[in-house]
Amino acid sequence: MNEPYAPDPSTNSAPPPPPAPPAPAPVLRSELRDAAAPPPPAAPATPPPFPASAPPASTPAPASAPAPASTPAPASTPAPKTDAAAKSAPNDAELKRAGDVLKVVSDAYSAKMVGQERLRMSLLISLIAGGHILLESVPGLAKTTAASTLADTVKAQFKRIQCTPDLLPSDITGNQIYDAATGSFRTVLGPVHANFVLLDEINRSSAKTQSAMLEAMQEHQTTIGGEVHHLPKPFLVIATQNPIEQEGTYELPEAQMDRFLLKEIVEYPSPAEEFEILGRIDSGVLDPDRHVSSAISLDDVHMLQDVASRIYVDPAIRNYIVSIAYVTRNPAPYIGDDRARFIKYGASPRASIAFLQASRALALLKGRSHVLPEDIRELRHLVLRHRVLLTFEADAEGIRSEEIIDQIFAAVPTP
């Protein structure tokens, strides 16, 4: 889509629901051969643009699915207004203020980090969207430096948890300790009670410890001794895992992976960037006790999240998101059986939610008050690479999830 996108805030109704498949042609009485064995319906020659088992009428269907001439499309029903639609769209002044805040963060990030612009964008999207991010790379690619720099820029609480097989859930969430002086128990909150939490090598912790993060990541609270403790806002979990040295590790289960809004693969720096890193080491820029010169407040982060929540998402783009998620679960008619056999599980509805939230954050990063289809395409690997699970056969043949995701996007028409 090359032309600029012009949102239409007056659009308050969803497109008509997908039409029912055409009924078989009526059989004349004179042509009845055997009433007990009616002729089977003919199979369609090509897969429909959106199968008949698509989401119900409340979910918009792709605009490219025409209604058959013999079946008139039902009248469209008004879609319930969402919280984002009920709020006013961000104005130019709010977008400018958000842009100024984001520039401060980007400048502070670039002062310490060399390159890794894609990592910067992913971290900011997760922060603005209020989600969590999983980073995967070999050791030594500045994942910890990037997380601590972001927390230092925001002047927020930052805690680092080094995951090991003997790490207990109480080491993360907290515990109750008996105080002999008072003769009572007192609660000591764990390191998860911070604005930015870095879980270093999360796949080295046991499954019991990994599950202890589920409540914190999803509910933004922990339970210690039957008492609920709410986590601070904003709350961002940055988990890392090492794709090598798999001995003594615990692979993250699908339910845990799905909790992360995005998954980023951190690549090696270029030779020029690595040369610059050596220069910054000598200049002392990367010293642990050296902090950034400018920072933003937590109120600025709350402002960014509020403005992003009011970014306009057209029903056609919402339908585009739903269609992509549907094709990941029913890939054979769209990408062929030869490729569909590599998909073990498709994306859950959390993928659609992640696309919606992350695309708003990306639009804000680009200074727009509305989401474009290009934003969805740009986020496709970040959102789906840990949700479209491949079979062992795909791993044996060297098929990567990014390849399958690209084919799925090529099969779904862009609005």
Side-chain angles (χ1 to χ4, degrees), residues 111-243:
K112 272 198 169 185
M113 295 291 297
V114 178
Q116 301 292 5
E117 289 301 315
R118 197 176 66 186
L119 176 59
R120 176 190 64 84
M121 183 191 72
S122 301
L123 290 173
L124 286 177
I125 289 175
S126 300
L127 177 63
I128 296 172
H132 311 290
I133 185 170
L134 177 64
L135 306 179
E136 181 177 298
S137 77
V138 297
L141 296 188
K143 300 184 295 295
T144 303
T145 303
S148 60
T149 301
L150 180 62
D152 193 22
T153 304
V154 181
K155 292 304 179 186
Q157 292 180 307
F158 173 71
K159 296 293 179 65
R160 179 178 181 269
I161 303 173
Q162 180 64 50
C163 296
T164 56
D166 59 347
L167 189 71
L168 298 176
S170 58
D171 296 332
I172 293 178
T173 60
N175 206 347
Q176 286 188 320
I177 299 177
Y178 180 74
D179 190 346
T182 60
S184 60
F185 287 90
R186 61 185 178 90
T187 300
V188 178
L189 299 180
V192 75
H193 291 266
N195 298 111
F196 295 87
V197 178
L198 176 65
L199 289 175
D200 211 355
E201 294 188 293
I202 186 175
N203 56 331
R204 291 197 178 277
S205 61
S206 65
K208 185 176 182 179
T209 304
Q210 292 173 4
S211 64
M213 289 298 299
L214 290 178
E215 181 187 14
M217 293 172 61
Q218 187 69 23
E219 307 296 336
H220 288 200
Q221 65 182 28
T222 60
T223 303
I224 305 173
E227 184 178 354
V228 174
H229 298 271
H230 294 279
L231 298 175
K233 294 181 181 180
F235 175 63
L236 173 63
V237 173
I238 305 172
T240 70
Q241 65 178 7
N242 191 343

Side-chain angles (χ1 to χ4, degrees), residues 5 77 98 111 116 132 151 154 171 244 260 272 281 297 322 340 388 407:
Y5 179 78
T77 56
Q116 301 292 5
H132 311 290
V154 181
D171 296 332
I244 61 177
F260 290 97
I281 290 289
S297 65
V322 172
V388 177
Q407 292 184 350

